Amino acid sequence: MPRTHLNLIAGGLALVLESDVPQGATMMSAFAPSSFSGLTSSLLVWLLSGGTLALHHPFDGDVLEQQINDNSCDTLVAPAQLALRLAEIDMPARLPTLRNVIALWRAPEQVASSPLWTVPGTSLTDVYLFGEAGLFGACRAADGAPGTDPARTPRRAA
């Protein structure tokens, strides 16, 4: 589907606003920029934040973890299953600089049955991908973390 630069900017801006990526962020993208969602979630989020972008093909979790730490990345863009797997490995201790995770769901219906995000201090933004038609983002700070109220987590349409 052909896209103009305005379509790409709108998609990237929606993700930046929803995920609260800070200006000057150091990003790691483990999602190929080969589609509308890949371009908006990695390249456009990086351009709009004015930070640093590192690209990684997610073939080895240990290499990804090392690259995130070596680059002191504070934002990760990854397929949702990979992002949720990182939460299971004691992410705060192993990836201390990571503050924002943008999880891309190719099958949006799986979000409801996904595990809770329980990583304190790190927000998760679920991005529902609808092929080349568009995307939708919703941030969840920490679903089951002590001291957080999921009902008060801001939800914005993108």
Side-chain angles (χ1 to χ4, degrees):
M1 174 180 280
R3 299 279 184 177
T4 68
H5 65 286
L6 296 175
N7 297 126
L8 292 172
I9 291 169
L13 185 60
L15 293 180
V16 167
L17 293 174
E18 182 60 33
S19 61
D20 290 329
V21 173
Q23 287 295 303
T26 303
M27 292 180 50
M28 170 68 62
S29 179
F31 199 82
S34 59
S35 63
F36 173 72
S37 56
L39 288 169
T40 57
S41 64
S42 57
L43 294 177
L44 267 294
V45 170
W46 162 61
L47 287 171
L48 292 169
S49 71
T52 304
L53 175 65
L55 298 173
H56 176 83
H57 188 277
F59 60 90
D60 184 352
D62 293 333
V63 173
L64 174 65
E65 185 178 331
Q66 179 183 355
Q67 193 174 5
I68 290 171
N69 286 327
D70 288 349
N71 293 316
S72 299
C73 295
D74 54 36
T75 302
L76 172 67
V77 178
Q81 292 78 7
L82 176 61
L84 293 172
R85 201 171 322 132
L86 288 175
E88 296 171 357
I89 64 162
D90 189 25
M91 197 170 95
R94 294 177 69 173
L95 301 169
T97 61
L98 208 53
R99 296 290 169 254
N100 298 306
V101 176
I102 300 173
L104 305 172
W105 293 89
R106 290 196 186 273
E109 64 277 1
Q110 294 177 344
V111 177
S113 63
S114 68
L116 295 176
W117 184 254
T118 58
V119 181
T122 303
S123 66
L124 174 73
T125 302
D126 292 313
V127 178
Y128 305 72
L129 306 177
F130 301 103
E132 289 297 312
L135 50 86
F136 173 84
C139 182
R140 47 177 161 160
D143 292 331
T148 62
D149 181 4
R152 297 184 62 208
T153 302
R155 309 288 278 199
R156 287 179 271 185

